[in-house]
Amino acid sequence: ARLVLANVRAGCALGGVAVNYSPVEGLLEDAGRVAGVMIRHRGSKHPIAVKAACVVNAAGPWVPDVLAMDGPALKSLILSKGVHIVLARSDLKINQSCFLVADDGRPVFAIPADEVVYVGTTDTIYDGSDLTWPPVLDHEVQYLLGVVNAHFGLGLQSSEVLSSWAGLRPLIAQPGKKTTEISRKDEVWVSRKGLITIAGGKLTGYLKMAEMVVEQVVQQHTAFRNRMPARLNWFPGASQPQASETLLRSRLDSENVDPKILARLVRRYGDEAQAVLASGRELIAPGATMILGQVRWAVSHEYAHTLEDVVYRRLRTPLYEPSLSARGLARMSEIMAEMLGWDETERLRQVDQTRSRLAADLQFLNNA
């Protein structure tokens, strides 16, 4: 998530404009060619026309939805669901990432991160309607726990899972193959009306994928051929050259802050850690290893609009510090209310919505 945010911020630093909570509702056309999009910005009553010389469909699991606005799709996608669970490190005492193999031959990783361990992932066809929050099912949790228990001689139960999440891999369909057999290779397509689509691939190869898309944009649109590409040598938070974590932490030693908190800030924010700390060093909740400065930074520098944004997509407390998710909601919501002008009704609505989301992460316990 932080890598994605760094890319968005870098793009804006080069003159781009990022707009979140603005789903695309249709494509604009001019003389039979795609010439922009219709979006509905958060809170607006009417759609907004955004004209463009070129439109790129890089919507991941939503690629087919955008393609449907253009006409018959050139190829079809299949969605593969990957489920992860979060365990307490006190329950799974490992110090290094572990490569495990399930009975069906699938690789499963157990990765320690601070006081928790992530275990994942599954790889199954997903045909559900909720692409934003694919549900985690009990049999998927049992599958992962079974692999861990078999390798480490444990008896962990689903009730000991602290949190869970599921993601979707948008793969290019290959009829007759299981999701585990389908290539993760990315492809770029250009429709008859000029819509450029990229699908497949993995986050680890995103830079090369982006280069492929830009090359296609330049090839399709002569207006871009003589433009010099903007260059950004460093992502926000990266030093020139990149300083070691030890060096960055030494800069903050005089701040009189718990070393665990400093280490976490440096790992998450790089050389912006001091600015985050200056935004507010008060703990989000007693005993926490996250500070209120991170909440303020999420709103002021990372486009957070909702409490769910901060909890799930900026601080990611359900993954790193599950107990803090519920304990810190009130204080985090108060900070956001001050910054975004929420009244008390809106603040409480945000808290209730996030609590419901947190409860849904463990919904599989009700179906066990």
Side-chain angles (χ1 to χ4, degrees):
R2 302 217 61 77
L3 175 64
V4 172
L5 286 167
N7 274 273
V8 173
R9 292 179 63 201
C12 291
L14 294 172
V17 176
V19 186
N20 55 356
Y21 288 102
S22 301
V24 171
E25 295 189 340
L27 300 177
L28 300 176
E29 289 188 25
D30 183 14
R33 304 284 291 177
V34 173
V37 295
M38 296 294 293
I39 67 171
R40 189 175 297 276
H41 189 51
R42 182 185 182 90
S44 65
K45 294 181 179 179
H46 305 288
I48 301 168
V50 181
K51 296 182 180 179
C54 178
V55 175
V56 174
N57 174 17
W62 293 272
V63 156
D65 295 340
V66 179
L67 285 173
M69 300 173 188
D70 183 49
L74 298 175
K75 294 189 178 182
S76 60
L77 262 62
I78 189 168
L79 299 181
S80 164
K81 182 168 74 164
V83 169
H84 308 71
I85 57 175
V86 182
L87 300 170
R89 200 152 168 192
S90 56
D91 288 333
L92 182 54
K93 299 180 176 67
I94 58 174
N95 294 319
Q96 302 292 336
S97 297
C98 298
F99 177 86
L100 317 175
V101 180
D103 289 341
D104 60 5
R106 172 156 181 77
V108 173
F109 293 89
I111 302 174
D114 298 324
E115 302 306 314
V116 298
V117 178
Y118 307 138
V119 178
T121 174
T122 61
D123 192 342
T124 55
I125 291 177
Y126 181 72
D127 55 8
S129 59
D130 191 344
L131 305 188
T132 305
W133 297 102
V136 174
L137 307 178
D138 180 64
H139 72 85
E140 294 166 328
V141 174
Q142 296 301 331
Y143 172 86
L144 295 173
L145 286 175
V147 178
V148 171
N149 288 336
H151 278 76
F152 294 101
L154 300 173
L156 296 173
Q157 304 291 320
S158 56
S159 58
E160 292 164 283
V161 174
L162 301 178
S163 186
S164 68
W165 81 94
L168 298 175
R169 310 174 186 91
L171 308 177
I172 299 166
Q174 293 178 278
K177 288 190 176 183
K178 298 177 182 178
T179 54
T180 53
E181 300 171 335
I182 295 176
S183 170
R184 268 52 175 170
K185 187 179 185 303
D186 51 84
E187 292 186 16
V188 178
W189 316 321
V190 183
S191 77
R192 183 173 51 81
K193 297 178 184 177
L195 176 69
I196 296 176
T197 295
I198 183 162
K202 298 179 69 176
L203 181 63
T204 44
Y206 83 97
L207 280 175
K208 188 62 181 176
M209 293 167 66
E211 289 176 2
M212 289 169 53
V213 170
V214 171
E215 288 172 2
Q216 192 61 243
V217 169
V218 172
Q219 182 178 322
Q220 296 292 322
H221 300 272
T222 56
F224 296 116
R225 289 181 186 171
N226 296 323
R227 293 192 185 183
M228 289 295 292
R231 298 193 64 84
L232 184 76
N233 293 323
W234 312 100
F235 277 149
S239 302
Q240 295 189 27
Q242 178 67 46
S244 68
E245 182 177 324
T246 302
L247 177 58
L248 289 171
R249 285 172 63 183
S250 70
R251 295 178 188 170
L252 298 173
D253 277 345
S254 61
E255 297 287 354
N256 193 28
V257 175
D258 184 322
K260 273 189 175 181
I261 295 176
L262 287 184
R264 180 190 283 275
L265 287 175
V266 169
R267 286 200 303 273
R268 304 291 186 271
Y269 300 94
D271 63 8
E272 293 181 326
Q274 195 156 15
V276 176
L277 187 61
S279 299
R281 61 177 61 202
E282 178 189 345
L283 298 181
I284 289 176
T289 57
M290 297 192 193
I291 60 174
L292 291 179
Q294 293 175 260
V295 179
R296 295 190 176 97
W297 189 264
V299 175
S300 62
H301 287 75
E302 296 174 346
Y303 321 105
H305 284 287
T306 69
L307 184 58
E308 187 182 280
D309 281 345
V310 170
V311 170
Y312 276 94
R313 293 178 282 276
R314 306 302 188 275
L315 273 61
R316 298 180 78 75
T317 58
L319 309 189
Y320 292 108
E321 206 167 340
S323 66
L324 177 59
S325 297
R327 292 189 298 123
L329 288 186
R331 192 70 186 100
M332 286 190 278
S333 67
E334 289 167 0
I335 294 294
M336 295 190 71
E338 292 172 11
M339 299 183 72
L340 297 173
W342 295 343
D343 59 21
E344 185 63 4
T345 299
E346 176 61 16
R347 186 188 73 80
L348 292 175
R349 189 189 71 81
Q350 293 277 340
V351 170
D352 288 344
Q353 180 177 314
T354 308
R355 280 186 179 142
S356 297
R357 181 66 254 156
L358 290 166
D361 288 345
L362 298 175
Q363 189 66 38
F364 60 84
L365 292 173
N366 299 331
N367 302 317

